[in-house]
Amino acid sequence: MDAAAFRQAGHELVDWIGRYLEEAERYPVLSRVKPGGIREALPPEAPAAGEPWSAIRDDVERLIVPGLTHWNHPGFFAYFAISASGPGVLAEFLSAAFNAQGMLWRTSPAVTELEEVALGWLRRLLGLPEAFEGVIYDTASISTLHALAAARQAAPEVRERGLAGRPDLAPLRVYCSEHAHSSVDKAVMTLGLGQSGLRRIDADERFRLRPDALAAAVDEDRRNGVMPLAVVATVGTTAVTSVDPVPAIADVCAREGLWLHVDAAYAGAAAIVPGRGETLAGCDRADSLVVNPHKWLFTPFDLSALYCRRMDRLEEAFALTPDYLQSREPGAVRNLMDTGVQLGRRFRALKLWMILRYFGADGIRRRLAEHMRLARRFADWVDASDRFERLAPAPFSVVCFRANPAAPAGDLDDLNARLLDGVNATGEVFLSHTRLDGRFALRLAVGHIRTEERHVRRAWALLQEQLDRLMQAEPRG
Ligand SMILES: *Cc1c(COP(=O)(O)O)cnc(C)c1O
């Protein structure tokens, strides 16, 4: 692709993207393709001869776009709504063009140093102490894996000898709440602790880890010859966005000498908002903390920030430099390859830096506060309705609720599952579900940068309409 062809295709593509982002509401949020539909529309082999760009581009619109669930749709309320903001998309474009690979400082000093700068800015916005150094990974799952790998260094000679076939080593254990994210299980499995190496602790009636139950579990494990290693506290659990009592958990960790990792993948961002700094209360005492700018900071997927006050432990776990990668730079430089499993690194910091500059701290604060206001409104409508009920507190921008009309036909779980399917089938909104205390719960998450009050209102109207339809369709029980 010569420069002229690149320019022409590029200009067209930017126009297309501009229109796509502006008119995302034209598309059904949830893709309507049948399983296998995309695969079957494409040939089984790559073409022998190159094809014109225009043919490829047309197939994107014709074949690929219908197979997308549109995360850019302002009616996307499922899981955690995320945003590819304009500056973030442009930064990705630029990052691909630079194709800089940041394994060593010298393989692109700007990759390493901009990462330090952008994560320093974010750390200050979050109100975390300077002792936390940051590093960017792709996802919170990988950030948590690395944090727990650093924690695992507390076991003797684990880097040199591993865990298998070691009668000298007690079984290692990590603790988290029953509501913690499954990435904690995966990290523990990957690190060789086995699923039994994770002990899930009961939560209270507001879905928060119970520190007394944690202390008792650690105590019991020690008596049984288990070596407690780390606790993962969650600020903003995935299902209900509950906040574990980090200060009390930090007390247990300090007393017991355990690594404290805080998973604030989604809700950490709320600490940027004036008056919401308490979101990360006690987190200054953590050993590590993960927050995902790709969740609630308008950064296109992917970018996860791990903050760690024991970066030496992380490097102890992973630094390993073959001869051909030895580099001697004057002064202290950081080589990102020493901070984790992967050698190569994308230039992710570019988009975070551009986004923080483009919106500014005030612009980000205003948008996050607005998302929380919209969720609050929705929660108020649910609370005021005699046909719906809330199933959990809504401290951030997520509301868990269900329909509970008088004299429902049949099972409430079934009614709510059908309600969710009906609402999602409209193509105007996409909500997801969870299970709370054994009950099927609908979940509305506000987080997209283009979501306005009218979209939240529309979701509420569609829920009413669909419930009416379901109640009329069946004789009352
Ligand atoms: C979304 C989420 C994760 C996983 O995030 P990835 O970046 O997709 O790995 C982990 N923990 C919590 C609390 C989350 O909400």
Side-chain angles (χ1 to χ4, degrees):
M1 190 176 253
D2 63 28
F6 180 83
R7 281 204 187 87
Q8 197 196 331
H11 286 300
E12 274 178 27
L13 188 64
V14 168
D15 283 341
W16 189 90
I17 294 172
R19 204 165 53 245
Y20 166 73
L21 293 175
E22 196 178 355
E23 299 173 5
E25 285 171 73
R26 277 198 294 139
Y27 302 95
V29 195
L30 194 57
S31 171
R32 289 172 170 165
V33 292
K34 300 276 173 294
I38 304 297
R39 201 172 51 232
E40 280 153 24
L42 297 167
E45 283 181 55
E51 299 182 56
W53 174 257
S54 57
I56 306 167
R57 178 205 60 204
D58 290 350
D59 278 354
V60 168
E61 179 127 35
R62 193 170 62 88
L63 300 173
I64 305 301
V65 172
L68 294 175
T69 287
H70 293 282
W71 292 75
N72 285 304
H73 195 301
F76 190 109
F77 296 115
Y79 316 112
F80 286 107
I82 57 175
S83 309
S85 62
V89 174
L90 293 174
E92 283 284 30
F93 201 7
L94 203 49
S95 164
F98 290 145
N99 202 24
Q101 204 277 59
M103 60 187 177
L104 298 169
W105 178 85
R106 62 156 29 157
T107 60
S108 267
V111 173
T112 304
E113 296 191 12
L114 194 64
E115 181 160 322
E116 248 176 80
V117 170
L119 289 183
W121 287 5
L122 179 59
R123 179 180 54 68
R124 274 184 209 92
L125 289 174
L126 295 169
L128 290 172
E130 212 170 320
F132 283 98
E133 272 184 87
V135 57
I136 293 176
Y137 299 109
D138 52 2
T139 56
S141 304
I142 297 299
S143 291
T144 292
L145 172 70
H146 283 90
L148 292 179
R152 195 182 60 165
Q153 285 298 107
E157 295 181 293
V158 72
R159 174 183 162 126
E160 298 76 14
R161 298 170 58 203
L163 297 176
R166 295 210 30 203
D168 61 311
L169 202 60
L172 307 176
R173 192 150 289 166
V174 173
Y175 305 81
C176 66
S177 110
E178 55 179 310
H179 297 287
H181 190 265
S182 57
S183 57
V184 185
D185 302 71
K186 286 196 184 181
V188 164
M189 283 149 62
T190 306
L191 291 169
L193 275 59
Q195 274 182 295
S196 61
L198 182 65
R199 185 161 176 181
R200 284 186 177 265
I201 306 296
D202 287 344
D204 65 16
E205 73 296 341
R206 303 188 71 189
F207 312 100
R208 301 170 300 194
L209 183 147
R210 284 178 38 210
D212 58 326
L214 170 67
V218 170
D219 222 43
E220 181 186 65
D221 281 350
R222 281 209 202 280
R223 283 200 307 276
N224 292 329
V226 167
M227 179 180 170
L229 200 62
V231 178
V232 179
T234 311
V235 171
T237 56
T238 310
V240 294
T241 71
S242 57
V243 177
D244 288 339
V246 176
I249 294 170
D251 288 343
V252 175
C253 289
R255 199 164 63 231
E256 299 284 344
L258 307 181
W259 184 284
L260 173 57
H261 175 61
V262 176
D263 179 356
Y266 153 72
I272 297 175
V273 177
R276 299 303 300 259
E278 92 285 358
T279 301
L280 292 179
C283 293
D284 53 330
R285 298 168 63 197
D287 296 282
S288 55
L289 176 143
V290 57
V291 60
N292 273 2
H294 74 220
K295 262 200 176 136
W296 203 13
L297 275 179
F298 316 123
T299 306
F301 197 77
D302 51 17
L303 197 166
S304 175
L306 178 70
Y307 288 99
C308 187
R309 54 163 80 243
R310 297 295 314 275
M311 209 47 105
D312 56 319
R313 279 282 188 84
L314 192 64
E315 294 187 5
E316 227 173 85
F318 290 109
L320 192 73
T321 311
D323 283 343
Y324 61 92
L325 290 175
Q326 298 283 0
S327 67
R328 279 178 294 132
E329 315 297 344
V333 300
R334 185 170 181 202
N335 293 314
L336 287 172
M337 69 173 194
D338 293 337
T339 55
V341 174
Q342 68 186 96
L343 175 68
R345 304 276 175 149
R346 298 183 61 215
F347 194 2
R348 291 192 181 86
L350 187 64
K351 56 186 169 182
L352 182 58
W353 176 69
M354 287 184 162
I355 284 165
L356 293 176
R357 285 188 65 175
Y358 187 84
F359 294 112
D362 291 341
I364 287 170
R365 289 186 180 113
R366 187 159 46 74
R367 287 170 173 86
L368 296 178
E370 172 65 3
H371 288 169
M372 290 193 265
R373 187 190 72 83
L374 292 177
R376 186 72 249 157
R377 290 230 71 178
F378 185 86
D380 288 344
W381 297 333
V382 170
D383 291 346
S385 161
D386 52 8
R387 302 199 302 163
F388 286 84
E389 65 179 349
R390 207 129 60 76
L391 295 178
F396 302 106
S397 69
V398 173
V399 184
C400 293
F401 64 101
R402 68 171 177 175
N404 190 0
D411 179 53
L412 266 187
D413 282 358
D414 180 57
L415 176 77
N416 279 282
R418 284 184 298 136
L419 176 60
L420 181 64
D421 287 345
V423 163
N424 288 343
T426 65
E428 289 187 66
V429 294
F430 177 28
L431 279 69
S432 56
H433 71 277
T434 187
R435 203 161 262 288
L436 293 179
D437 300 326
R439 297 177 297 186
F440 187 97
L442 281 71
R443 202 172 154 286
L444 177 128
V446 183
H448 194 273
I449 198 163
R450 293 179 192 85
T451 296
E452 297 167 21
E453 182 158 335
R454 66 190 168 94
H455 302 107
V456 181
R457 270 187 198 286
R458 185 66 191 142
W460 182 235
L462 287 170
L463 284 159
Q464 313 281 338
E465 284 169 26
Q466 290 295 322
L467 183 60
D468 288 342
R469 187 166 304 172
L470 287 172
M471 298 298 287
Q472 279 157 16
E474 284 172 41
R476 300 197 170 201

